[in-house]
Amino acid sequence: MPYLWKAGIPVLVAAVVYFLPVPEGVEPTGMRMLGIFLGTILGLILQPLPTGAVALIGMAAAMLTKTESAARALAGFANTTVWLIVAAFFIAEGFLITGLGRRVALLFVTRLGRSTLGLSYGMALTDLILAPATPSNTARCGGVVFPVVASLSRLEDSHPEPEESRKRLGAFLTLTALQVNVVTSAMFLTAMAGNPVAQAAARDFGIEISWGRWALAAMVPGAVSLIAVPWVMSKIYPPTVDKTPEAPDEARAQLREAGPMSRHEWIMAATFVLLLLLWCLGDFLDIDATTAAFTGIAVLLITGVLSWKNLADNTSAWSTLVFFGVLVGMAAELNQLGVIDWIGESVAGSVDALPWLAAFAILTTVYFYSHYLFASNTAHIVAMYGVFVGAAIATGAPPLFAALVFGFIGSLFGGLAHYSSGPAGVIYGSGYVKTAELFRIGFLMSVLNIAIWTSIGGLWMKVLGIW
């Protein structure tokens, strides 16, 4: 029965929109494409079948109804942004396989781990260091940060059950790790899989966002958020233990047990630096982000850090290829058929009587909290980023400013609920955090991040001349 309603709702929505009258300015097949697209998005949210299966069914429906030709339906698989996202999973795999990510986390614990607040800042620094080169925020949180958090929690006799035990340390550290992750994901173009999707969508408006430009604009509000989030969390969701004198010694013991850095760890570290240089200097060297990412993967394959089996067995990467390839193709078709322009003009029309700053505030707020309807950052970005950026520009917002702000939001809303993002699922699945707590803290922290990124971030982008 759950399967029937989860499958029935996307089909019903798709059918209703499919047969709607075609608005002026939209190509004849525009509403049919919009119906199939919305049905696919709803299928990805409700998950009657795995993500890749839902995407393929949506693509098949578009081809079978002659809404989209086979060549255009498959065009998304040739998109360089899609392959950058796939490459992200392979790079993240290197950090996990070599153990370099865990080593970095333990090193921070030895320096900052004598208090729970210090531990949370240590985890934040770990996430920040790894973020530019791990576009899978789920891998970064779930594969690197969370295992160390769980280990440290158990050291303090903090377990998911009973209630007193989880609140000693584990609940605070795990939920703080999630709220830190949404910030680091917003700070770099390559820190979350959906960010390059936003970059590609911005390009459709003639807006070019380089890796360096994104990082520069996000640097100041991101740094302020990383300082504020652990401290605020310690006030609104405090652990019952605030001192952890054993943690540094435990981290040193684990580091001694691990021994010196292996050859593969050194290679992974060097590749990490190489990727950062190529991504930072990409415009100067005329090397795009996707080329840089696959250069790093080639180094890891040649040196044996990664094997072809590692890549072939990475089902998340290949599932993502199918998922993004299909949706990017559909989104491009919607744009081609005039649907995106029509929706953008409609949304903009609802706020066009307001000054652009007031209209922009409404649009960004709606975009942020509409994420309660989504179970994926990237699905939300694919479905709505282009629409809202277009609407903001239509009301008079500076194009680059609008594209960057909506890009940042695409990561910042990932901590709203237990289903809002991959890292949120990891944290919720740990058992340390209750559903009601996650909703409550997620909303409060969203208000904090909006305040910081609006005030400090807005002033910083003003200084940079972005608006």
Side-chain angles (χ1 to χ4, degrees):
M1 188 61 69
Y3 170 83
L4 290 178
W5 75 262
K6 286 183 178 181
I9 291 176
V11 171
L12 177 62
V13 170
V16 170
V17 178
Y18 187 96
F19 291 107
L20 286 176
V22 179
E24 185 179 351
V26 176
E27 295 295 319
T29 57
M31 298 310 287
R32 288 158 52 183
M33 188 71 250
L34 179 60
I36 294 171
F37 179 74
L38 291 177
T40 303
I41 292 293
L42 280 173
L44 294 171
I45 294 171
L46 297 175
Q47 294 276 289
L49 292 171
T51 298
V54 171
L56 286 177
I57 291 169
M59 183 177 69
M63 293 189 293
L64 187 63
T65 58
K66 307 297 183 183
T67 301
E68 196 176 22
S69 68
R72 296 183 73 89
L74 293 168
F77 292 92
N79 187 288
T80 57
T81 300
V82 172
W83 282 99
L84 173 59
I85 295 168
V86 173
F89 284 90
F90 298 149
I91 294 166
E93 189 81 358
F95 276 100
L96 299 179
I97 288 175
T98 61
L100 179 61
R102 182 171 180 273
R103 183 182 294 273
V104 171
L106 290 171
L107 284 171
F108 279 123
V109 172
T110 63
R111 298 288 187 271
L112 302 168
R114 291 194 174 278
S115 68
T116 53
L117 188 58
L119 286 174
S120 64
Y121 279 115
M123 294 301 100
L125 283 172
T126 302
D127 203 321
L128 178 64
I129 292 294
L130 297 177
T134 50
S136 172
N137 57 341
T138 304
R140 192 168 70 248
C141 179
V144 177
V145 176
F146 176 70
V148 177
V149 165
S151 175
L152 291 171
S153 299
R154 288 192 294 270
L155 178 68
E156 288 296 321
D157 195 28
S158 180
H159 306 276
E161 295 291 344
E163 184 78 359
E164 181 183 349
S165 179
R166 75 176 183 89
K167 287 190 171 181
R168 282 178 60 81
L169 180 61
F172 166 74
L173 282 184
T174 52
L175 196 47
T176 301
L178 170 61
Q179 298 303 330
V180 162
N181 184 267
V182 304
V183 175
T184 59
S185 296
M187 291 180 69
F188 306 98
L189 183 60
T190 47
M192 198 275 287
N195 293 347
V197 177
Q199 178 196 37
R203 193 175 296 125
D204 292 337
F205 293 97
I207 306 167
E208 288 295 331
I209 306 176
S210 65
W211 192 95
R213 177 174 280 179
W214 181 299
L216 182 62
M219 177 176 61
V220 170
V224 173
S225 284
L226 288 180
I227 293 170
V229 165
W231 184 82
V232 172
M233 284 292 296
S234 73
K235 301 302 179 184
I236 65 174
Y237 193 65
T240 56
V241 173
D242 59 0
K243 299 296 181 183
T244 54
E246 304 92 345
D249 290 336
E250 172 67 16
R252 292 187 188 95
Q254 292 188 34
L255 284 170
R256 284 194 298 271
E257 184 180 341
M261 283 181 63
S262 66
R263 173 178 171 272
H264 282 180
E265 284 181 277
W266 281 111
I267 294 171
M268 188 68 231
T271 305
F272 172 76
V273 173
L274 173 65
L275 285 169
L276 284 181
L277 289 174
L278 291 177
W279 279 326
C280 289
L281 303 176
D283 291 342
F284 178 75
L285 298 173
D286 194 24
I287 297 176
D288 62 76
T290 306
T291 301
F294 276 95
T295 299
I297 292 169
V299 170
L300 298 177
L301 287 169
I302 291 168
T303 56
V305 172
L306 290 176
S307 68
W308 172 248
K309 188 176 186 304
N310 296 140
L311 273 56
D313 289 346
N314 195 324
T315 55
S316 295
W318 301 116
S319 177
T320 300
L321 172 63
V322 172
F323 164 49
F324 282 119
V326 170
L327 290 186
V328 167
M330 286 184 175
E333 189 72 5
L334 285 172
N335 193 51
Q336 186 72 23
L337 295 172
V339 175
I340 298 299
D341 288 340
W342 168 68
I343 296 175
E345 289 169 5
S346 300
V347 175
S350 65
V351 292
D352 61 0
L354 300 173
W356 79 262
L357 272 173
F360 192 74
I362 293 171
L363 290 170
T364 51
T365 302
V366 171
Y367 184 68
F368 198 111
Y369 290 107
S370 64
H371 193 63
Y372 279 117
L373 302 176
F374 289 83
S376 161
N377 295 61
T378 307
H380 192 163
I381 293 166
V382 170
M384 301 179 73
Y385 176 87
V387 173
F388 276 75
V389 170
I393 293 172
T395 63
L400 178 58
F401 176 71
L404 283 169
V405 170
F406 282 104
F408 300 152
I409 292 173
S411 291
L412 293 173
F413 54 35
L416 281 175
H418 63 293
Y419 56 84
S420 292
S421 62
V426 171
I427 297 307
Y428 178 72
S430 72
Y432 277 106
V433 185
K434 304 301 181 184
T435 304
E437 293 174 336
L438 214 157
F439 270 90
R440 177 174 64 85
I441 299 300
F443 177 77
L444 291 175
M445 297 308 291
S446 74
V447 173
L448 173 68
N449 280 323
I450 288 173
I452 292 172
W453 288 73
T454 298
S455 58
I456 297 173
L459 288 173
W460 173 240
M461 284 192 275
K462 184 72 171 178
V463 170
L464 295 177
I466 292 174
W467 68 286

